[in-house]
């Protein structure tokens, strides 16, 4: 693991996490041979060969997790209505830009953030807020809209799989109602093929108008052992391929690749400090250790962003 | 409403409920004109005209709820392992065939049945039990396999809608893992397009083999106000058409038809004592009252099985 030691902590791990891949699981099985290179941004390494071999014999996926960046911006936008946040963690840390203190509030602190920033509205209002944010927000370091920070090799992989009859899903720890707003445009994945963490909702008729109202209560955490549970709940089938980039994906990969038949497990390793970020075992968010240790023994393909990808981001014409 | 007064209570309402339509919601919008009659089992009445007009200007569905019959058979199969059930409701009522006593245990009693008969196994074991049951069980009155008791007019409606670019879903109060085993073969609806009530599950590695284990705890009740909540959770879109057959579908129909644009709400009224069953306001299961009262004012189409359908069941060649 390499750290960019000249950068403050939050640019190293929090934002590294923001740029992390979404976890994607893919089901389906139709296979065709292809003559043109369907994965031009991938180096001709073992990772690419494993993918092509898998698709030829019988996932995945691309994306990016900007859920946390959204939550941070929402805390700032809602702060005037919540004077108490100035002295209350995890809000205090967000308002003071103290990402180290935020990390110390742990998973519980992050959940509190998500609750405070994702609940209360109707689902339609929430979707509008997300759309507005996505259309204006920019990555603090890279200065580009988040919509341009998708991984080109993963977009190619999604297209390649769909062209071969696969049905592609996003399976993320991020909020499902957040991701559904952007997944179709960014990854070609429609709302009904997005699985994520959720708050409880209730149906309510307000002034004669029915609405789905978001409640400040966790319904489901789509992470770790929750990922196979979420896939089973939403899809009702076991995937034949899954890709992830952290130990939060371990159980999904384990479940996917333990079934009989040809299966593919893929872990994208963020080891490219030049073009993206480099982090793994010691990262506060998006930690990847067990996957690196056990993955190869289980036959999973470890994708090195540095060595396996020719390009990281799409070329955007302006 | 007509009752078949010569028949005992349970043949009137419980089994009537077994034959009830699944609630189905459909999303999508592609439209083509068709010249051949796509709905030959429907009489040329207003109901059919409304459907065709809707599809031509911009859902739905057919099915049958044999979840309860499965639960009753499972109680009998599991009874030797549960001697305490002889003196404990709702199990006592099931073992004694006393459907009146069962109905008196109410919704809570039915949920207990579902918990006791649907939990404990892994999802794969449960699916095998369902498949075995479906392949051998027969309707106690009609003497035919449940798989033949689907509604031909609803199969035609599903096919018609899909031919016009609609994506068809089953949205049922029944158990999701039960329905997913049969929905594709019976209705052409794949597992990922089935929404239903569910128990909680957990991911577990048993002797090195990962499994989804079913827990004796309700996760979600897909009925009444739960239906729009379930549709929103699983699909993330508001349907443009929905069909139901009881007041458990009221909120789904309300939510679907309240959005701007061309929408269609359909209620199938079980008013055909000759060919199927006749029940509505006073039925202990599958009660339909509010829908009949308010539906027409809201522009919903009430489908009379008696008057609007030429045929009820498919013709099966043996």
């Amino acid at each position: 693991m390499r750290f960019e030691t000249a950068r403050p902590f939050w640019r190293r791990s929090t934002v590294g996490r923001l740029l992390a891949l979404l976890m994607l699981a893919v089901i389906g099985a139709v296979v065709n041979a292809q003559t043109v290179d369907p994965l031009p941004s991938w180096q001709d390494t073992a990772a690419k060969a494993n993918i092509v071999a898998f698709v030829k014999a019988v996932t995945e996926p691309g994306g990016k997790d900007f859920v946390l960046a959204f939550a941070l911006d929402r805390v700032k936008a809602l702060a005037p209505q919540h004077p108490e946040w100035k002295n209350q963690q995890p809000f205090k840390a967000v308002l003071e830009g103290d990402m180290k203190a935020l990390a110390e509030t742990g998973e519980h602190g992050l959940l509190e953030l998500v609750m405070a920033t994702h609940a209360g509205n109707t689902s339609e209002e929430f979707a509008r807020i997300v759309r507005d944010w996505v259309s204006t927000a920019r990555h603090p370091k890279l200065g580009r809209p988040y919509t341009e920070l998708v991984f080109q090799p993963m977009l190619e992989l999604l297209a390649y799989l769909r062209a071969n009859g696969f049905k592609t899903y996003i399976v993320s720890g991020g909020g499902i109602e957040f991701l559904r707003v952007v997944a179709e445009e960014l990854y070609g994945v429609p709302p009904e093929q997005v699985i994520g963490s959720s708050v409880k909702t209730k149906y309510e008729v307000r002034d004669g108008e029915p609405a789905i109202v978001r409640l400040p209560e966790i319904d489901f955490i789509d992470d770790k052992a929750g990922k196979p549970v979420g896939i089973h709940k939403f899809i009702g089938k076991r995937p034949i391929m899954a890709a992830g980039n952290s130990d939060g994906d371990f159980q999904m990969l384990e479940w996917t690749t333990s079934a009989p038949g040809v299966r593919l497990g893929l872990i994208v390793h963020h080891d490219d400090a030049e073009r993206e970020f480099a982090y793994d075992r010691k990262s506060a968010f998006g930690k990847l250790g067990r996957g690196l240790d056990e993955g190869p023994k289980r036959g999973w393909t470890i994708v090195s962003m540095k060595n396996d990808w020719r390009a990281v981001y799409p070329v955007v014409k302006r």
Side-chain angles (χ1 to χ4, degrees), chain A residues 21-272:
Chain A
L21 285 173
L22 294 175
M23 313 320 143
L24 297 147
V26 177
I27 56 169
V30 186
V31 180
N32 295 312
Q34 297 208 342
T35 46
V36 292
D37 185 353
L39 305 171
S41 295
W42 291 69
Q43 301 285 5
D44 294 324
T45 49
K48 179 172 175 173
N50 288 350
I51 293 167
V52 173
F54 169 74
V55 174
K56 279 186 178 161
V58 251
T59 3
E60 195 302 38
K64 222 172 40 53
D65 186 354
F66 38 133
V67 178
L68 185 55
F70 170 76
L72 301 185
D73 281 357
R74 283 295 289 161
V75 166
K76 290 169 198 158
L78 293 169
Q81 298 155 243
H82 295 277
E84 74 280 10
W85 284 358
K86 274 181 212 151
N87 303 304
Q88 191 185 318
Q89 294 295 18
F91 309 102
K92 185 171 182 283
V94 175
L95 296 173
E96 293 173 355
D98 185 350
M99 292 300 119
K100 192 165 183 307
L102 177 61
E104 281 164 4
T105 67
E107 208 167 282
H108 179 75
L110 294 178
L111 283 178
E112 262 201 89
L113 276 190
V114 171
M115 291 301 97
T117 56
H118 283 53
N121 316 88
T122 69
S123 286
E124 286 179 9
E125 289 161 357
F126 181 75
R128 197 166 50 242
I129 292 168
V130 172
R131 272 193 299 270
D132 289 349
W133 182 84
V134 167
S135 69
T136 57
R138 284 174 174 260
H139 187 276
K141 178 186 165 194
L142 301 166
R144 294 166 68 178
Y146 287 101
T147 48
E148 293 178 8
L149 297 174
V150 295
F151 294 135
Q152 179 62 25
M154 298 312 264
L155 294 178
E156 291 170 9
L157 183 49
L158 280 167
Y160 173 52
L161 291 165
R162 289 195 288 251
N164 283 279
F166 284 75
K167 191 166 182 178
T168 55
Y169 283 79
I170 293 178
V171 181
S172 170
I176 189 168
E177 295 199 56
F178 179 92
L179 293 165
R180 280 175 166 171
V181 173
V182 298
E184 187 137 33
E185 187 191 332
L186 296 188
Y187 315 113
V189 175
E192 67 270 25
Q193 286 161 230
V194 174
I195 303 171
S197 299
S198 54
V199 294
K200 290 196 170 163
T201 64
K202 68 170 175 185
Y203 177 77
E204 203 177 273
V205 180
R206 291 179 168 179
D207 304 325
E209 284 297 317
I212 305 289
V213 179
R214 295 164 59 79
L215 305 173
E217 192 184 342
I218 290 282
D219 178 45
F220 180 64
I221 303 286
D222 191 44
D223 195 31
K224 300 188 177 74
K227 288 207 173 193
V229 167
I231 293 169
H232 176 74
K233 181 200 299 233
F234 280 77
I235 308 178
K237 293 178 191 165
R238 198 157 163 180
I240 61 168
M241 180 191 166
N245 69 337
S246 83
D247 285 345
D249 304 311
F250 192 91
Q251 288 83 353
M252 174 176 76
L253 288 158
E254 177 179 60
W255 186 53
T256 300
T257 59
S258 300
V262 181
R263 298 291 181 268
L264 185 64
L266 216 72
I267 295 181
V268 174
H269 187 190
H270 293 258
D271 61 354
D272 192 337

